[in-house]
Amino acid sequence: MTRQIKLGAFLPGGGQHVAAWRHPDSPADGATNFEFHKQLALTAERGLFDAYFLADGLAVAFGGGMEGGNAKVAGFEPVTLFAALAPLTKSISFIATASTTYEEPYNIARKFASLDLISDGRVGWNVVTTATEAAARNFNLDHQHPHAFRYARAREHVEVVKKLWDSFEDDVFIRDKESGVFFDTTKVHYADHEGEHFKVRGPLNVSRSRQGHPVIVQAGQSEDGRALAAATAEVIFTAHQRLDTAQEFYRDIKARAAANGRSPEHVLIMPGVSPFVGRTEAEAREKYDRLTSLILEEDGIALLNGLTGGTLDLNGYDLDGPLPPAPPTEGMKSRQTLIRQIADENNFTIRQLYQWVASARGHYTIVGSAEQVADQLQEWFENEAADGFNILPPWLPTALDDFVDLVIPELQRRGLFRRAYEGTTLRENLGLPFPVNRHAVAHETVQAAE
Amino acid sequence: MTRQIKLGAFLPGGGQHVAAWRHPDSPADGATNFEFHKQLALTAERGLFDAYFLADGLAVAFGGGMEGGNAKVAGFEPVTLFAALAPLTKSISFIATASTTYEEPYNIARKFASLDLISDGRVGWNVVTTATEAAARNFNLDHQHPHAFRYARAREHVEVVKKLWDSFEDDVFIRDKESGVFFDTTKVHYADHEGEHFKVRGPLNVSRSRQGHPVIVQAGQSEDGRALAAATAEVIFTAHQRLDTAQEFYRDIKARAAANGRSPEHVLIMPGVSPFVGRTEAEAREKYDRLTSLILEEDGIALLNGLTGGTLDLNGYDLDGPLPPAPPTEGMKSRQTLIRQIADENNFTIRQLYQWVASARGHYTIVGSAEQVADQLQEWFENEAADGFNILPPWLPTALDDFVDLVIPELQRRGLFRRAYEGTTLRENLGLPFPVNRHAVAHETVQAAE
């Protein structure tokens, strides 16, 4: 079968762009409006997106201090939200973010396995280590753990979760009312994990869904992040402004995956893209300018502060002057580097910088007609920069509608995107392999021989 | 308004009784069948139950070792399950169990607040400390924490969660698109908690639902448990076999609540009841005998072992002889005492004991016609033993249908139960007060004066 683009949709109810909620088309209460999230899920499903994707943080997303908060100040926890959306949809999947630093493997394994059963195999876990000081202070710490510690813990955490997901073999349940035998005791397994960070006996008290395991998603850009992603991730969310850096990342990850003994085509690279789509380029540009004009200065400053891990105090600086220097921190290293790189390469003032990152937060922004957007996606897809994209509509619902109504048909015309879901699980739609239970060795041998 | 019975429904998809899944009416895969849980929720809503209630454990519910598991060996995590059921229902609420020992306050506060928003105020949190050794071994421990430690931590945990739930005042959101002011920064509050067990800064990143806080539910029977319940719980789930012990508990908790400065009518005592209902007493007895006949000996033994915290090794004992002695443990102290008391008072053999506790696990079992069941409930309700009941249908769905179709109309005829939901939130239906935000002092003063 021809290789086709995979698509995720980032749809926080408050909108992606810092001023999204001020857009006339957006419900001002979108962030905490469940019915609105339902509408977004149904639109994304109409557009045949692989997954509805949500980022997450374990603290209020203030830019810094209490000021500068926006529509993201409060919202839903992704797993509970997606559990509520799952029965209201049929084919679209859900990728929820959860933290290996502040949640125990048993609890993470359990809630994702439960959501995977409820949705009948339409779930992914976006593994994050949670980089903010604010989150650390919500979990008994004064400061966050060092970057290297978080990534080492993350790696072991994912290992434990995957062991727990294999607690029950797929044919464990006998359920013979006559004999009273409910399950085959030889097909339930302890994890018996003892590592540097965790000691977890198992078994998990949730059985596997039809897709075996939820899909593992990761977004590492740093050295530690790339190593983790290449070792464990099946989908990698990434942020690039230019084809050449996207290609460098793509080739690096595929090579690392191969070095880990993994099949490179089972590690899907999906850069984030923030599209302003019009029927013409001029119309798209108008949409961009309109949303940009809605950014308050303090929100722009808070955004830059937040994106650089809360270390960039811009008070007193001329917004129409250059970005001041700041020391690196233990926080979101790669994101800090990227933001500074955007400023340097474009020779942006502080104001121009926050205007540019306001929608995509460092991801690739495309302003153009459906054909122009499709051209860009196709170029990246066909030149070892992307296996698909995570679409970040700048405001909601209109920018999502624009993508579904204008860009999706164009991609379909070019044979680059599906006209119907290929399968019923996230793995089937993404073309990812079914993870045979590690305890089902005999079974695996039989499958491999077929 | 006349005081009326409040009703919760315990509806684990695998059924309450150890042999429930073997019943001809029950789906053998009920425990992991989402559609079946949806059916149960809709039936309970048709019966005007206040809440769908689920217990929870953080380990596989083996009776002991790998043997003797039953339909409860694997199932859904309650919060994800209830999130999925919330949009499919309108009026019934959901009480999910979660552990103060193995989850952090920020995560618990968040998932319940999120579920409360999704369901528009139809949520309760059943606070448990999680007593099993098996759970401890899933969370980096070799043995569980001592009983007193768990309860001290639980008390502080609930305090932190309630502080976090007050992070946003109810009128915090301005959402003025024109000015760009999304919220009133003076109405978002840090928790700034520093205690013996937790250090949590806040704010929580979820705002309050229409009912303010999820309802706090507890099930403590031990001295520590009663103290915690009287201090924090708004609904208390309890297990009694006899009117006199239920009355002792009822009066004790109400007195303790008053001593804590709380209004006793805002602490609802709801004993568990396992009803076998027939159109006649004989028909009910037949139903009881039929289900009892389906218990396998090994499941009965495993059940007793599980109920006594995994310490009661009955291998080698005559099932038609008496229960051997066992030392008390740090586990479920009150449940161990209760099980032994049932055996002693009834002079039960091991077999008779497991047959009796197979459906209700120490709760009150009533076998009779709708009138007889209603008589019993009425007696407890009118004599300071209960404000309502948690109904544990022994098998599903039929025993729930029986209760809804036969007992509910009888209670309604007697004026003891609602004919329509009084409100739209769990608090409104239970008649519990709205928790004014602790930071909204001026607001509170105005309300109190009205």
Side-chain angles (χ1 to χ4, degrees), chain A residues 21-23 26 56-57 75 77 80 102 104 107 110 114 137-138 140 142 177-178 199 201-202 205, chain B residues 21-23 26 56-57 75 77 80 102 104 107 110 114 137-138 140 142 177-178 199 201-202 205:
Chain A
W21 70 274
R22 295 184 69 192
H23 195 284
S26 300
D56 196 44
E77 187 278 325
T80 41
Y102 301 115
E104 287 295 313
N107 292 332
R110 192 163 180 238
S114 186
R137 289 194 288 263
N138 289 332
N140 312 314
D142 292 320
K177 288 190 179 189
E178 190 54 40
K199 188 169 177 181
R201 188 167 186 232
N205 53 4
Chain B
W21 70 274
R22 296 185 69 193
H23 195 284
S26 300
D56 195 45
E77 187 277 326
T80 41
Y102 301 114
E104 287 295 312
N107 292 333
R110 193 163 180 238
S114 186
R137 288 194 288 262
N138 288 332
N140 312 314
D142 293 319
K177 289 191 179 188
E178 190 54 40
K199 187 168 177 183
R201 187 167 187 231
N205 53 3

Side-chain angles (χ1 to χ4, degrees), chain A residues 19 40 47 51 67 78 94 110 122 160 170 175 199-200 218-219 230 249-250 260 262 265 271 291 301 358 404:
Chain A
L40 298 174
E67 283 75 44
F94 301 94
R110 192 163 180 238
R122 296 185 284 134
V160 179
D170 294 320
R175 299 188 183 117
K199 188 169 177 181
V200 179
Q218 232 265 308
F249 182 81
Y250 186 98
N260 275 312
R262 302 180 64 200
E265 66 265 33
L291 194 55
I301 293 170
V404 167

